[in-house]
Amino acid sequence: MRKATTQEKFWSSKFGQEYVSRNTFDPKELDQLYISYFGISRSRLNKEFLGNLKINNVLEVGCNMGNQLALLQKQGFKNLYGIEIYPEAVEQAKVHTRGINIIQGSGFNLPFKDSYFDLVFTSGVLIHTNLKDVKKLMKEICRVSNKYIWGYEYYHPKHKIINYRGNKNRAWKGDFCKLYMDYFPHLKLVKKHCLKYLNSDNIDEMFLLKKGK
């Protein structure tokens, strides 16, 4: 049996409950949050990155309560799946969502066949994975993706640890798009967008990669 990482244990603990309590589910509130941070809504970013793609099914790794999936559903995407390590977040997701398949589990051991999904994505999940483990997580994401890998993560040109709500070794920022392509050369960059916060010098990055033959 695979041993859980330190970060998996952390997010399965009381801190996972606190995270659930802090986060909104309402897709409209999610859009307003992005507008307050960057001056652009998450819906607009979704359309810019995915609007012209043919996507039959989608998996979010680390979906929490499913708010990102609910927003995609509102925008017309079908066959949506999510996997989340914290059990109560999964239960909350089942209460708030309709027609979205959300299960409890780890991104390090995805219970799906190779190349099962047209699109696999994370939103603020790779940042909570230690660099020594992130390749394993990315490998699983690549394995179950048939076409596209989509990411939204904290950005910095050099991988560095950051303080996360008073906790050490629980969050990092870096160039996760480049890490993907360094680890898996068959991935090709389709699009990326750096998002600078309106009230600070911090930057997030959204990127879309495509699997090559």
Side-chain angles (χ1 to χ4, degrees):
M1 181 180 293
R2 185 185 65 84
K3 184 178 179 180
T5 68
T6 302
Q7 285 70 43
E8 286 178 296
K9 293 176 182 178
F10 178 71
W11 286 98
S12 299
S13 70
K14 182 182 177 182
F15 192 87
Q17 171 61 55
E18 295 171 353
Y19 186 85
V20 170
S21 300
R22 288 196 305 270
N23 280 266
T24 179
F25 177 78
D26 189 335
K28 290 182 180 179
E29 291 184 17
L30 184 62
D31 267 343
Q32 287 301 316
L33 186 66
Y34 274 73
I35 290 170
S36 69
Y37 285 162
F38 309 113
I40 185 172
S41 70
R42 178 72 189 221
S43 293
R44 174 74 178 274
L45 289 167
N46 291 352
K47 186 175 181 180
E48 286 185 7
F49 275 76
L50 308 181
N52 297 322
L53 304 182
K54 184 178 180 181
I55 299 171
N56 294 314
N57 58 4
V58 176
L59 171 67
E60 181 179 9
V61 176
C63 66
N64 198 254
M65 291 189 295
N67 53 359
Q68 302 286 359
L69 291 167
L71 188 57
L72 288 174
Q73 185 181 58
K74 183 180 178 182
Q75 293 181 269
F77 290 88
K78 309 292 185 182
N79 300 318
L80 301 173
Y81 293 73
I83 188 165
E84 166 61 38
I85 197 167
Y86 188 63
E88 188 164 329
V90 175
E91 294 307 310
Q92 288 292 322
K94 290 178 179 178
V95 171
H96 290 297
T97 63
R98 295 291 182 271
I100 299 176
N101 305 287
I102 297 179
I103 62 173
Q104 195 272 326
S106 170
F108 287 95
N109 187 25
L110 297 173
F112 303 103
K113 296 178 181 179
D114 294 358
S115 304
Y116 188 79
F117 295 97
D118 286 343
L119 175 74
V120 183
F121 78 98
T122 60
S123 187
V125 169
L126 301 180
I127 62 169
H128 295 298
T129 307
N130 194 300
L131 185 60
K132 69 183 179 64
D133 299 315
V134 76
K135 184 177 181 179
K136 299 175 186 176
L137 180 56
M138 289 178 168
K139 185 177 181 180
E140 269 294 89
I141 290 171
C142 287
R143 181 183 67 79
V144 300
S145 170
N146 179 44
K147 294 180 181 178
Y148 298 104
I149 293 168
W150 185 35
Y152 169 79
E153 307 288 345
Y154 295 163
Y155 173 79
H156 193 271
K158 294 184 179 180
H159 209 82
K160 60 183 296 186
I161 193 170
I162 58 175
N163 184 284
Y164 188 73
R165 296 183 175 271
N167 295 279
K168 296 181 179 179
N169 295 317
R170 297 295 180 267
W172 293 260
K173 57 183 177 181
D175 191 340
F176 293 95
C177 179
K178 184 176 184 297
L179 276 180
Y180 263 118
M181 292 190 290
D182 286 346
Y183 289 148
F184 310 103
H186 65 286
L187 296 177
K188 305 301 180 185
L189 180 64
V190 177
K191 185 180 181 69
K192 66 178 178 179
H193 188 167
C194 286
L195 301 158
K196 183 183 178 300
Y197 284 75
L198 298 177
N199 61 354
S200 77
D201 292 330
N202 291 323
I203 297 172
D204 289 356
E205 184 178 54
M206 183 173 283
F207 54 88
L208 182 67
L209 302 167
K210 186 175 183 180
K211 293 181 76 172
K213 299 297 184 180

